[in-house]
Amino acid sequence: MRFQTPLVPATLIRRYKRFLADIRLDDGREVTAHCANPGSMLGLAEEGMRIWIEPNDDPKRKLKWAWKLVDHGAGHFTGVDTALPNRALKAALMAGDVPGLTGYDTVRPEQKYGQNSRIDFLLQGADRPDAYVEVKSVTLSRQPGLAEFPDSVTARGRKHLEELALVAQGGQRAVMLYLVQRTDATRVTLAADIDPAYAAAAQVAAAAGVEFMALDCTITPEAVRLNRPLPFAQS
């Protein structure tokens, strides 16, 4: 999925109130950008980091810039917009291009299920169980090559695992898909030290039949595209 307008390099001054970031453009101007990431962004929001932002001229938007990437150098990037990969994943699911999730006739996003929950994608096809696919964006890395989820305590994420376990016990297919928005990751695991309750819920979900998958992305200042499956281990 290509960015709507060409990204512009900048330097992070600070991120605050979760969705705001003060940045410095290369011409010296200081502006405020929207940050579409409600997580802690551990390791990604330090002063002086090189980032990429997207300009817009939409009169309905208060902020004229949106923070999209962190530039780690050496050609490696992390995507910080948690909504972008879901849009790319939807297109790939509809095209039947996601390994392990092919052969379904319909792809329905944001469907109600469980106790006041919405599944990211409901896949349906003739003569096969429905597949409930929950997607989490992964941006944390504290060891070279290792991506981790979550980057903060997530009661909502734990609830999703519990809902998926019930789906699997009911005979439908339940999939927890970790979409890794880092180009420097080669494997994925759970950050049990950050959220032990989430890691415990994942073990219960796996025992109930929930499938755990991970995909990485190709990320450049021009586009974000789904790439390949990554090995996932719960610990």
Side-chain angles (χ1 to χ4, degrees):
M1 177 171 290
R2 298 189 64 84
F3 292 108
Q4 293 182 353
T5 55
L7 300 191
V8 175
T11 301
L12 178 66
I13 298 174
R14 64 172 183 142
R15 180 219 184 190
Y16 57 103
K17 295 182 179 179
R18 291 202 301 171
F19 299 109
L20 298 176
D22 290 339
I23 60 178
R24 182 178 296 108
L25 301 175
D26 284 357
D27 62 8
R29 286 182 293 155
E30 293 187 4
V31 299
T32 300
H34 179 250
C35 176
N37 190 320
S40 75
M41 293 183 63
L42 183 62
L44 298 174
E46 299 173 7
E47 181 180 356
M49 279 189 155
R50 191 66 168 167
I51 65 174
W52 290 79
I53 58 176
E54 185 178 47
N56 77 82
D57 57 4
D58 187 343
K60 297 181 181 179
R61 295 185 181 181
K62 293 182 179 180
L63 298 176
K64 300 304 179 185
W65 302 92
W67 182 7
K68 296 297 182 181
L69 306 178
V70 171
D71 190 333
H72 301 289
H76 286 298
F77 299 91
T78 293
V80 301
D81 184 341
T82 57
L84 186 64
N86 265 34
R87 295 199 295 270
L89 181 59
K90 178 182 177 182
L93 286 170
M94 294 180 70
D97 291 336
V98 180
L101 294 174
T102 60
Y104 292 92
D105 301 321
T106 60
V107 176
R108 303 182 187 277
E110 294 293 324
Q111 296 298 299
K112 292 182 179 180
Y113 83 117
Q115 297 296 318
N116 298 317
S117 293
R118 287 182 180 271
I119 195 70
D120 286 317
F121 297 101
L122 174 61
L123 312 184
Q124 295 176 310
D127 302 321
R128 59 168 53 192
D130 292 348
Y132 290 73
V133 183
E134 182 67 31
V135 184
K136 299 299 182 189
S137 177
V138 182
T139 61
L140 175 63
S141 180
R142 296 178 291 177
Q143 299 177 36
L146 180 64
E148 299 176 272
F149 184 89
D151 64 1
S152 61
V153 174
T154 171
R156 184 169 179 264
R158 186 172 69 251
K159 178 187 176 185
H160 289 156
L161 287 173
E162 293 167 352
E163 298 277 27
L164 286 175
L166 293 175
V167 167
Q169 290 171 344
Q172 304 299 316
R173 188 180 180 193
V175 180
M176 182 67 253
L177 175 59
Y178 296 104
L179 198 51
V180 181
Q181 286 204 77
R182 297 189 67 108
T183 61
D184 57 0
T186 57
R187 62 197 193 283
V188 186
T189 191
L190 300 182
D193 61 319
I194 292 178
D195 191 345
Y198 182 87
Q203 290 185 335
V204 172
V210 175
E211 303 171 44
F212 288 79
M213 302 170 56
L215 290 174
D216 75 351
C217 298
T218 298
I219 303 173
T220 70
E222 289 74 42
V224 175
R225 297 183 178 87
L226 299 186
N227 191 13
R228 55 177 179 159
L230 291 180
F232 173 81
Q234 290 197 18
S235 61

